[in-house]
Amino acid sequence: MAGRRYPRALRRTSGRRSRAARLIEALVVSVTVLAVALILRPEGDTARAESEPVSAANRLEGVGRVIDGDTLDVGGVRVRLHGIDAFERNQMCDGPRGPWACGAAATRALEDRAEGRRLVCEVRDTDRYGRKVSRCERDGVDVAQALVADGLALAYRRYSQDYVDEETAARAGSLGAWNGSFDRPEQWRGRSRAARAG
């Protein structure tokens, strides 16, 4: 038996089977790895969805972190709310009982609606600071619209007419800053910049 030799045709067939067996084995390993990856994928997506925004060309979804009355991060993406101009964080307004912190109130109102909450935003534009100008909703409620309706932000008519009706109703009801007098946020920013420069 030790000196027995197989015919050449049989040796060639054995070699082919060996290569075919290796290819089949590699294929089985690849399919197994792919199956494991697909099985584990949903958990990875769930974790990602909690920390990162789901983004498309004109859509953002993520957890909100408020910067001020009209600026927030949505899943780490800086967003400027479309169509409104909220009172600035340090801005004061005049009311029947004297000056009050209308800017801080605007920031708190947005925090109540958006901080730590899942938001869905429709991206409309990108501003000169790189922020995504967006219309954002929480549970189907437009957070910018609610701020204007409460008198804590103004319809930013230069860019949009979307919230003019809400502003008109807030003014008629003397809600928020409409219960007294104020500088428009844009004017307040201009005066603050001039004071810092001078």
Side-chain angles (χ1 to χ4, degrees):
M1 286 268 181
R4 185 171 177 183
R5 297 187 57 136
Y6 291 101
R8 182 176 289 176
L10 189 56
R11 285 199 306 265
R12 221 175 5 237
T13 303
S14 296
R16 269 191 239 140
R17 279 191 195 142
S18 176
R19 274 186 240 130
R22 283 186 294 219
L23 286 173
I24 290 171
E25 184 180 329
L27 183 63
V28 168
V29 169
S30 298
V31 169
T32 303
V33 167
L34 181 62
V36 169
L38 289 173
I39 289 168
L40 295 178
R41 185 174 171 208
E43 288 179 26
D45 280 355
T46 302
R48 182 182 65 78
E50 291 303 316
S51 61
E52 296 178 17
V54 175
S55 181
N58 66 342
R59 183 178 168 96
L60 276 173
E61 288 184 52
V63 175
R65 187 179 72 79
V66 173
I67 308 303
D68 62 25
D70 53 27
T71 308
L72 64 160
D73 289 341
V74 176
V77 176
R78 187 60 50 97
V79 169
R80 171 69 158 83
L81 291 176
H82 163 77
I84 72 168
D85 199 10
F87 297 103
E88 295 297 323
R89 184 181 282 276
N90 297 322
Q91 186 172 353
M92 302 294 286
C93 295
D94 291 320
R97 297 187 183 125
W100 64 285
C102 54
T107 301
R108 277 194 309 275
L110 185 56
E111 286 172 344
D112 289 346
R113 291 175 171 92
E115 184 72 31
R117 311 292 180 91
R118 189 122 188 107
L119 301 172
V120 177
C121 301
E122 176 195 348
V123 179
R124 303 276 182 95
D125 200 0
T126 300
D127 71 9
R128 60 183 172 165
Y129 303 109
R131 299 176 297 188
K132 300 298 182 185
V133 179
S134 306
R135 180 183 180 278
C136 296
E137 294 184 351
R138 187 194 104 211
D139 300 329
V141 176
D142 183 338
V143 296
Q145 182 180 39
L147 290 169
V148 176
D150 289 345
L152 296 172
L154 306 179
Y156 213 170
R157 296 166 196 249
R158 182 166 22 137
Y159 299 105
S160 169
Q161 300 294 306
D162 288 358
Y163 304 113
V164 171
D165 290 345
E166 287 77 11
E167 181 182 294
T168 302
R171 184 177 196 165
S174 298
L175 298 177
W178 293 108
N179 194 24
S181 62
F182 55 84
D183 289 331
R184 297 186 80 76
E186 194 170 26
Q187 295 169 323
W188 189 89
R189 286 191 298 271
R191 225 181 335 275
S192 294
R193 279 194 294 270
R196 283 195 303 269

